[in-house]
């Protein structure tokens, strides 16, 4: 009896010892902190530094961030992160590069709000979460790290983050919003992109394995990249055009799209808006590039192919002036300016003193009606496939003033010079 008791206690003790070892000494972080302690002991020159090194306690370290609902234990291994003496050391002991941790207070910001990864984990593999397919946000590498800055910073800020700003510019000038919605504004043909960086869509669509490897097993980044680079990689028949972007442009777009996620940070974390930032450009031309250019073509010249569509290609819109019976450039400019100023011309404003007033107004109403209500593209061969591109309805996405300023811009795009020379040749 005594013997069994002895043996079982021995077993329990060894299990406990093993556990204790496993919890502490056997841990990766224990080794790194030991190495850190050895390093600062060696580096210590003054008595004070020697005292600090001697009393350095090896223990699990963490930053608790209740408002961000995070616990970041990265500093259990990255112990030298705020220690300038550790600049240039081997990871994970090195000090943080740049002045990031001087600008942002480590105790209130932690690491994962910028880097992603799994804050609570205490092994390298699990913390970085690279190659762990179930973790939604594996640690990001540059340039994709830039995307997370805009969880707190306004999109007009941080001009030094070049890729992000390049991607943002492309996104808002290539008509992506003609088919996609962003925070309620945009077309309906493609999926809403408001939270594309959070989405788990990659679970539904298998992503090319090479891309997954290339993006450090970040399925979300790989998925976004693939969607832009090869729209046909999703369903083969898709309305999403291939824009033939360069590699840099695709990467830049991916950085921008990766920032589109639910704002999970409380208001107290947001960087204040700075004075003097430019209000967003809502002029007609910018709106056209934002919402219409992908289907109606550059400078509204049309020509974008539409499968099995009666008119073959999406109609040009640079001839609106002619359709509105505005045959002289002066009259066209007059109407364009009224619309741009936000004058409601439908109530027969006396300012609208152009010939054929009634017909001009009727056409204006018809055009605005198509824009507000949308229009289904008719089939050329009734037995053939559905045309991929339809005119979306913009009644919800755009205000009356927005639509007027787009029409104003389209009226001004009329190629008067070409028409004049055609007439002369006749
Ligand atoms: C268990 C120890 C450990 C933990 C916990 C840990 N790291 Fe690391 N980290 C390392 C080691 C070791 C390296 C260097 C080798 C490597 O890159 O895997 C490293 C490297 C890095 C690098 C540089 C990667 C590169 O590409 O050069 C970054 C950034 C980083 N860690 C961030 C984090 C963040 C953020 C966390 C918390 C979510 C974290 N680490 C948690 C051990 C750790
Ligand atoms: C405000 C955002 C932000 C926070 C917070 C932040 N980092 Fe970073 N970190 C960056 C950026 C940006 C870079 C790369 C920039 C550079 O090289 O200067 C970087 C670089 C690094 C690197 C070096 C990567 C390499 O390739 O050499 C490591 C390691 C790292 N961070 C770890 C951490 C850890 C650990 C924490 C938390 C204790 C943390 N960071 C907190 C933004 C942040
Ligand atoms: C969790 C929120 C948060 C994240 C994420 C964050 N910042 Fe900040 N950042 C702040 C706050 C708050 C300030 C202080 C702003 C102020 O004074 O209004 C700030 C200030 C700054 C400043 C100095 C002021 C300025 O605007 O020039 C820089 C530079 C900066 N951040 C860069 C970055 C970069 C780069 C990243 C991404 C790697 C980043 N921040 C991520 C919250 C954040
Ligand atoms: C003519 C319409 C159209 C335009 C313009 C368009 N897209 Fe798309 N896009 C789609 C459709 C439709 C899909 C869905 C793919 C499918 O299932 O056919 C899609 C899918 C995507 C996806 C994947 C989204 C998801 O949730 O699966 C991304 C990312 C994307 N588009 C980005 C862009 C960007 C960036 C631009 C501008 C450069 C753009 N799109 C322009 C129609 C369009
Ligand atoms: C997804 C592609 C797509 C987008 C985005 C789009 N359109 Fe269209 N639009 C079409 C198609 C296709 C037609 C032709 C419909 C038909 O034949 O009935 C059309 C027709 C029109 C017409 C009528 C042209 C005519 O010849 O009768 C106007 C005006 C128009 N669009 C304006 C706009 C404006 C303004 C925007 C941006 C706010 C826009 N469209 C965005 C596809 C699009």
């Amino acid at each position: 009896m005594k013997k069994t008791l002895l043996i079982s206690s021995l077993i329990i003790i060894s299990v406990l010892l093993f556990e204790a070892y496993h919890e502490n000494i056997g841990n990766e972080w224990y080794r790194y902190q030991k190495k850190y302690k050895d390093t600062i002991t060696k580096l210590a020159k003054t008595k004070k530094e020697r005292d600090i090194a001697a009393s350095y306690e090896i223990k699990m370290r963490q930053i608790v961030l209740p408002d961000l609902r995070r616990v970041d234990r990265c500093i259990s291994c990255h112990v030298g992160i705020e220690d300038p003496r550790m600049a240039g050391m081997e990871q994970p002991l090195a000090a943080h590069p740049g002045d990031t941790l001087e600008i942002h207070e480590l105790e209130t910001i932690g690491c994962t709000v910028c880097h992603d990864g799994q804050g609570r984990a205490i092994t390298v593999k699990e913390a970085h979460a690279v190659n762990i397919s179930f973790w939604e946000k594996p640690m990001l590498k540059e340039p994709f790290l830039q995307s997370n800055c805009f969880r707190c910073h306004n999109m007009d800020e941080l001009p030094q983050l070049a890729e992000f700003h390049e991607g943002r510019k492309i996104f808002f000038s290539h008509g992506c919003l003609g088919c996609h919605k962003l925070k309620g504004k945009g077309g309906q043909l493609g999926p809403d992109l408001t939270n594309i960086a959070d989405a788990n869509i990659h679970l539904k669509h298998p992503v090319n394995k090479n891309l997954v490897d290339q993006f450090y097993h970040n399925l979300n980044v790989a998925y976004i990249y693939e969607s832009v680079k090869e729209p046909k990689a999703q369903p083969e028949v898709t309305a999403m055009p291939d824009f033939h972007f360069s590699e840099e442009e695709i990467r830049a777009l991916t950085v921008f799209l990766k920032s589109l996620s639910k704002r999970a940070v409380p208001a107290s974390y947001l960087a204040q808006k700075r004075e003097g930032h430019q209000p967003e450009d809502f002029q007609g031309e910018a709106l056209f590039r934002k919402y219409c250019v992908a289907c109606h073509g550059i400078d509204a010249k049309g020509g974008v192919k539409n499968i099995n569509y009666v008119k073959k290609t999406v109609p040009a819109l640079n001839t609106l002036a002619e359709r509105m019976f505005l045959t002289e450039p002066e009259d066209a400019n007059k109407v364009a300016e009224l619309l741009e100023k936000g004058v409601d011309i439908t109530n027969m404003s006396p300012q609208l003193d152009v010939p054929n007033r009634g017909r001009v107004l009727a056409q204006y109403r018809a055009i605005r009606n198509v824009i507000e209500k949308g229009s289904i593209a008719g089939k050329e061969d009734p037995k053939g496939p559905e045309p991929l591109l339809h005119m979306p309805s913009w009644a919800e996405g755009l205000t009356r003033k927005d639509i007027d300023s787009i029409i104003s811009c389209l009226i001004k795009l009329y190629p008067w010079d070409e028409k004049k020379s055609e007439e002369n040749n006749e």
Side-chain angles (χ1 to χ4, degrees):
M1 181 62 196
K2 260 190 196 157
K3 218 175 181 179
T4 20
L5 198 65
L6 184 70
I7 290 169
S8 58
S9 342
L10 275 178
I11 290 172
I12 288 168
I13 288 169
S14 51
V15 166
L16 286 176
L17 276 176
F18 177 78
E19 279 298 313
Y21 171 82
H22 199 71
E23 273 292 300
N24 292 290
I25 303 160
N27 259 314
E28 293 169 49
W29 59 261
Y30 187 96
R31 275 193 281 127
Y32 295 128
Q33 289 193 22
K34 178 82 174 47
K35 203 164 153 197
Y36 177 67
K37 186 170 174 141
D38 292 347
T39 310
I40 58 172
T41 307
K42 258 188 237 142
L43 287 175
K45 288 194 193 84
T46 62
K47 179 168 182 314
K48 193 170 163 230
E49 282 178 341
R50 275 191 295 275
D51 287 348
I52 291 171
S55 61
Y56 182 83
E57 206 184 328
I58 296 179
K59 61 172 189 200
M60 163 96 85
R61 286 161 198 274
Q62 62 187 24
I63 304 170
V64 182
L65 304 156
D67 290 346
L68 290 176
R69 276 179 273 129
R70 290 165 193 262
V71 175
D72 285 355
R73 295 178 171 152
C74 315
I75 51 164
S76 280
C77 294
H78 291 272
V79 271
I81 203 83
E82 283 194 295
D83 185 340
R85 293 171 298 173
M86 305 305 279
M89 285 280 173
E90 208 183 318
Q91 292 297 4
L93 299 190
H96 202 275
D99 56 0
T100 309
L101 295 189
E102 280 146 42
I103 300 169
H104 305 90
E105 209 180 311
L106 193 57
E107 286 68 39
T108 55
I109 197 170
C111 315
T112 53
V113 72
C114 286
H115 282 276
D116 283 351
Q118 199 171 181
R120 283 173 194 270
I122 51 167
T123 65
V124 184
K125 191 171 183 293
E126 284 177 6
H128 297 173
V130 172
N131 218 345
I132 299 182
S133 53
F134 61 79
W135 188 250
E136 216 183 307
K137 299 216 181 265
M139 201 166 77
L140 289 174
K141 301 257 183 183
E142 286 281 28
F144 307 105
L145 191 49
Q146 295 177 13
S147 317
N148 280 347
C149 307
F150 299 93
R151 281 179 172 161
C152 306
H153 286 272
N154 189 290
M155 284 195 181
D156 295 324
E157 291 182 4
L158 307 178
Q160 67 272 34
L161 304 182
E163 282 94 341
F164 174 87
H165 289 286
E166 170 69 8
R168 182 180 178 224
K169 204 171 95 200
I170 299 171
F171 186 84
F172 289 114
S173 60
H174 283 69
C176 309
L177 290 177
C179 299
H180 295 285
K181 271 201 171 57
L182 195 59
K183 293 184 189 151
K185 271 197 154 191
Q188 309 95 349
L189 243 125
D192 191 325
L193 296 179
T194 309
N195 295 322
I196 181 83
D198 298 327
N200 257 329
I201 10 176
H202 41 258
L203 299 178
K204 278 181 264 157
H205 299 272
V207 182
N208 178 335
K209 197 181 160 309
N210 288 338
L211 287 182
V212 176
D213 289 343
Q214 191 185 327
F215 292 106
Y216 319 103
H217 296 264
N218 194 318
L219 286 174
N220 189 229
V221 174
Y223 177 78
I224 294 174
Y225 177 90
E226 186 183 55
S227 303
V228 180
K229 190 180 164 82
E230 298 171 60
K232 304 251 177 307
Q234 302 159 21
E236 229 171 88
V237 182
T238 175
M240 167 99 173
D242 185 343
F243 290 87
H244 302 289
F245 288 127
S246 71
E247 183 60 25
E248 287 80 49
E249 289 170 323
I250 295 166
R251 281 188 169 251
L253 266 168
T254 307
V255 173
F256 170 74
L257 290 167
K258 183 69 189 143
S259 77
L260 303 178
S261 107
K262 278 193 213 97
R263 269 215 163 157
V265 300
S268 60
Y269 275 90
L270 301 182
Q272 287 151 20
K273 273 192 195 154
R274 239 146 281 277
E275 298 277 332
H277 84 92
Q278 297 290 315
E280 228 176 312
D281 189 359
F282 280 118
Q283 293 309 300
E285 201 193 323
L287 286 167
F288 181 81
R289 276 190 267 119
K290 222 167 168 177
Y291 297 109
C292 324
V293 71
C295 292
H296 289 285
I298 293 166
D299 294 334
K301 285 183 183 149
V304 176
K305 279 205 193 78
N306 200 6
I307 293 174
N308 195 29
Y309 172 47
V310 266
K311 296 180 198 158
K312 309 258 198 272
T313 61
V314 181
L317 298 176
N318 62 347
T319 49
L320 285 201
E322 194 178 293
R323 270 208 267 157
M324 288 171 76
F325 300 100
L326 297 164
T327 47
E328 292 303 321
E330 301 76 54
D331 297 333
N333 278 341
K334 207 179 276 172
V335 175
E337 261 152 45
L338 288 174
L339 290 173
E340 199 173 272
K341 274 194 231 147
V343 175
D344 183 0
I345 58 169
T346 52
N347 60 11
M348 282 297 207
S349 156
Q351 287 162 281
L352 186 69
D353 60 341
V354 291
N356 300 316
R357 230 161 78 139
R359 287 161 87 189
V360 169
L361 266 184
Q363 278 303 86
Y364 161 75
R365 284 206 186 90
I367 288 162
R368 221 180 73 186
N369 196 43
V370 182
I371 300 175
E372 280 173 354
K373 304 240 166 69
S375 169
I376 304 281
K379 284 185 182 181
E380 182 175 37
D381 168 8
K383 290 192 215 92
E386 189 65 29
L388 282 173
L389 305 174
H390 298 287
M391 171 63 187
S393 120
W394 296 96
E396 278 172 27
L398 295 171
T399 62
R400 192 191 67 96
K401 210 170 161 299
D402 289 341
I403 294 175
D404 278 352
S405 55
I406 297 175
I407 296 178
S408 160
C409 149
L410 294 171
I411 291 174
K412 286 192 196 150
L413 283 174
Y414 190 79
W416 297 102
D417 297 343
E418 282 169 38
K419 294 286 160 181
K420 283 267 183 296
S421 62
E422 268 169 36
E423 276 167 26
N424 292 345
N425 290 342
E426 268 163 19

